Amino acid sequence: MSEASAPHAADRRELTGAQRNAVAELLRVSPVADELGHRFVRAGHELHLVGGSVRDALLGRLGDDLDFCTDAHPDETLRIIKGWAESIWETGREFGTIGAQRDGLRLEITTFRAESYDQVTRNPVVVYGTNLTEDLRRRDFTINAMAVSLPEHRFTDPHGGLDDLSAKVIRTPADPHESFGDDPLRMLRAARFAAQLRFAVHPDVHAAMSRMAADLDRITAERIRDEFTKLLCGADPITGLRLLVDTGLAERFLPELTGLKLEIDEHAQHKDVYEHTLTVVENAVSFEEDGCDFILRMAALMHDVGKPATKAVGPDGRVSFHHHEVVGARLTKARMKALRYPKDITAKVTALVALHLRFYGYGRGEWTDSAVRRYVADAGDLLPRLHKLTRSDCTTRNRRKAAQLGADYDALEDRIARIAAEEDLARVRPDLDGNAIMELLGVPPGPVVGRAWKHLKEQRLEHGPLDRDAAEAELLRWARAEGLID
């Protein structure tokens, strides 16, 4: 383990485990990695497995994407791998990166870098470096600044990344102010790694994030979106979200989250909306069945963002947030648009925010079958997520109230299942289609057909399925009332 920092005595057992993980993972990929290493050495160049690949190998979770660095420039790299790689791509060539695939592994080979930044954007002025030590120092965090040289498997760790990995700490190789000044996105990456790995941020890094939060404004919305999505989909998103708020980073791109910290005064007590929201996100994660459901998590995060704008204190001192779901849906749509999320993803999250309060009141016995049909129709294919979001939103510490809410929602789901079995709720449509409407009314395609279709759908929701004769009679009644026929 040459050039590696010596492990502390208290860490020896855990570090040995990490090293065993690395050996097992590297043996899995070594046929390809070592072949590649030999090719570079024969051409008179170095090759090192670096960054997240080494970190993940030590954690026992190395995937099929491998990152390498080399002193060879892109043209030389292409010559070395030509005829050996099954496929090659050059999309990252301007930044010194050549991509390749071999035996199911995706390889990215990047020339040593020693770039500087213009301190205005995050775009580097690419300057090729000359050695591994310089390359590792420019990396974002010490846990990503370790290398395994190929093919000899020499381990290099000049910044104590192995110790930090053992201590579960996120620290920068250089001074954090210098590192974040070069690339402010690294501040958001620190929060993302905290969420993904369940690591703590070093106090010096935390302080620099707080002082330099405004520098995040230099970063494009798309890059912020991508890092934030990874954070929210992390194993522990709550840690990452708290870090964003505590350092002021959230205020730069998601101020609605910080805004949930409503003031609580002695005359108008109400639950802490911020803490409630984090609990709802945590609950939503527990309902996931197969990996991260970003739409559900984002809806849980945003479901109450309309409360600050709708907060009111009544004559009795009680706090209310009337129509906060409507305001929240509007704010959610605007924020996700600003972060450049795809329209379909934004629409689904926004719909869940708008619908999340619909269930409340069901337990009072006021819902008709018509109300249940509308609930299902309005949710559409989001219904399973709406079920999970509504259940996640129950965070009361009152056990009796929590049990009653749970029982009420159980009853609603049973009722939905019963009506669905009887009426095929998954396909709530009018009992006559457009062709039948045009034939019966003697009208061409146009707005009249659309109005008639909408009326019949309302009847379907209100009364359930109609047979053909009843549906035609209702259509004719409506058409006479509209003055369309005599």
Side-chain angles (χ1 to χ4, degrees):
M1 194 181 295
S2 63
E3 299 184 46
S5 55
H8 299 301
D11 296 335
R12 290 184 193 280
R13 181 178 302 174
E14 186 170 358
L15 293 183
T16 300
Q19 292 164 343
R20 283 200 300 268
N21 286 335
V23 169
E25 294 293 277
L26 291 173
L27 283 174
R28 179 176 66 84
V29 302
S30 63
V32 170
D34 288 349
E35 278 181 29
L36 188 60
H38 280 296
R39 293 181 73 89
F40 272 81
V41 169
R42 284 198 298 268
H45 292 288
E46 304 173 21
L47 185 73
H48 312 274
L49 188 69
V50 290
S53 294
V54 177
R55 179 199 70 223
D56 288 344
L58 288 163
L59 292 172
R61 45 182 274 184
L62 181 62
D64 294 330
D65 294 336
L66 306 181
D67 294 325
F68 300 88
C69 68
T70 179
D71 60 338
H73 287 198
D75 287 344
E76 183 63 18
T77 294
L78 284 169
R79 283 194 289 271
I80 292 171
I81 65 175
K82 187 176 181 180
W84 175 82
E86 295 162 356
S87 60
I88 297 173
W89 55 95
E90 302 180 46
T91 52
R93 183 180 182 133
E94 65 176 308
F95 298 108
T97 300
I98 300 297
Q101 182 164 319
R102 171 85 177 192
D103 293 349
L105 298 175
R106 288 173 55 89
L107 320 172
E108 286 202 344
I109 307 162
T110 303
T111 305
F112 290 151
R113 297 261 286 274
E115 68 267 14
S116 59
Y117 293 74
D118 60 14
Q119 301 294 315
V120 176
T121 70
R122 76 168 302 275
N123 297 322
V125 178
V126 177
V127 177
Y128 294 140
T130 59
N131 61 77
L132 177 63
T133 301
E134 183 180 50
D135 182 272
L136 294 178
R137 187 181 184 279
R138 74 166 184 84
R139 293 179 179 268
D140 52 4
F141 305 112
T142 60
I143 58 174
N144 296 330
M146 298 176 282
V148 175
S149 302
L150 300 168
E152 68 268 39
H153 294 185
R154 185 181 73 256
F155 180 64
T156 303
D157 179 22
H159 303 289
L162 193 58
D163 283 349
D164 288 342
L165 197 68
S166 174
K168 298 183 177 181
V169 171
I170 296 170
R171 190 168 55 85
T172 55
D175 180 275
H177 295 86
E178 175 187 341
S179 181
F180 298 153
D182 279 348
D183 185 357
L185 188 66
R186 289 172 174 172
M187 295 185 286
L188 193 51
R189 284 171 61 82
R192 188 251 286 187
F193 280 120
Q196 285 185 327
L197 301 176
R198 300 181 186 272
F199 280 19
V201 170
H202 190 278
D204 291 345
V205 173
H206 191 288
M209 291 166 68
S210 299
R211 293 191 194 103
M212 302 179 67
D215 284 16
L216 194 64
D217 296 349
R218 290 160 41 194
I219 306 302
T220 64
E222 291 83 358
R223 292 301 302 263
I224 291 174
R225 174 201 64 204
D226 292 347
E227 287 296 332
F228 175 71
T229 300
K230 293 173 184 176
L231 182 158
L232 193 58
C233 278
D236 181 16
I238 306 307
T239 291
L241 293 169
R242 287 191 186 280
L243 193 56
L244 293 180
V245 172
D246 293 346
T247 59
L249 286 169
E251 189 64 32
R252 312 313 304 185
F253 72 96
L254 192 63
E256 294 82 4
L257 178 57
T258 304
L260 293 176
K261 286 195 165 187
L262 301 175
E263 293 183 6
I264 303 177
D265 59 67
E266 59 181 320
H267 302 295
Q269 291 287 340
H270 59 80
K271 74 170 72 174
D272 185 326
V273 183
Y274 172 68
E275 291 296 334
H276 162 74
T277 295
L278 295 183
T279 301
V280 174
V281 173
E282 193 169 32
N283 290 345
V285 172
S286 72
F287 281 116
E288 292 174 343
E289 299 167 2
D290 185 23
C292 172
D293 183 343
F294 172 77
I295 291 170
L296 176 62
R297 293 192 188 194
M298 189 65 176
L301 182 67
M302 302 297 284
H303 80 287
D304 273 350
V305 296
K307 282 190 169 180
T310 57
K311 178 184 175 183
V313 181
D316 59 356
R318 294 176 65 86
V319 176
S320 65
F321 305 97
H322 294 305
H323 305 301
H324 77 267
E325 75 281 11
V326 177
V327 175
R330 186 174 69 247
L331 292 172
T332 297
K333 182 177 181 180
R335 180 55 53 197
M336 294 187 71
K337 181 179 180 181
L339 288 171
R340 307 290 194 272
Y341 278 100
K343 290 182 179 179
D344 60 330
I345 300 297
T346 298
K348 290 177 181 180
V349 175
T350 300
L352 287 171
V353 172
L355 291 168
H356 84 274
L357 276 187
R358 184 77 69 85
F359 160 73
Y360 292 94
Y362 177 80
R364 295 195 295 267
E366 300 170 355
W367 280 33
T368 61
D369 282 357
S370 172
V372 176
R373 292 187 196 99
R374 292 178 187 278
Y375 186 78
V376 173
D378 289 345
D381 60 3
L382 292 174
L383 185 63
R385 287 189 174 104
L386 184 57
H387 288 331
K388 295 174 183 177
L389 178 60
T390 302
R391 290 185 181 277
S392 298
D393 197 21
C394 177
T395 63
T396 178
R397 295 180 182 179
N398 184 317
R399 293 184 179 180
R400 182 187 61 79
K401 184 177 180 181
Q404 185 61 56
L405 285 171
D408 287 347
Y409 209 83
D410 288 342
L412 174 58
E413 289 199 39
D414 289 343
R415 192 171 174 187
I416 289 172
R418 175 181 61 78
I419 298 175
E422 296 171 356
E423 303 179 10
D424 190 14
L425 279 183
R427 299 177 60 195
V428 175
R429 295 182 177 277
D431 298 282
L432 299 176
D433 63 17
N435 290 328
I437 291 171
M438 289 187 287
E439 181 180 350
L440 192 61
L441 298 183
V443 297
V448 170
V449 178
R451 286 164 52 204
W453 190 92
K454 183 177 181 180
H455 173 75
L456 289 175
K457 181 176 180 180
E458 286 296 315
Q459 294 300 306
R460 172 77 165 78
L461 289 169
E462 187 68 28
H463 303 294
L466 300 176
D467 62 32
R468 180 79 181 196
D469 289 342
E472 290 183 353
E474 175 57 33
L475 177 61
L476 292 173
R477 185 201 65 75
W478 172 84
R480 291 189 188 96
E482 292 289 312
L484 299 173
I485 59 174
D486 296 330

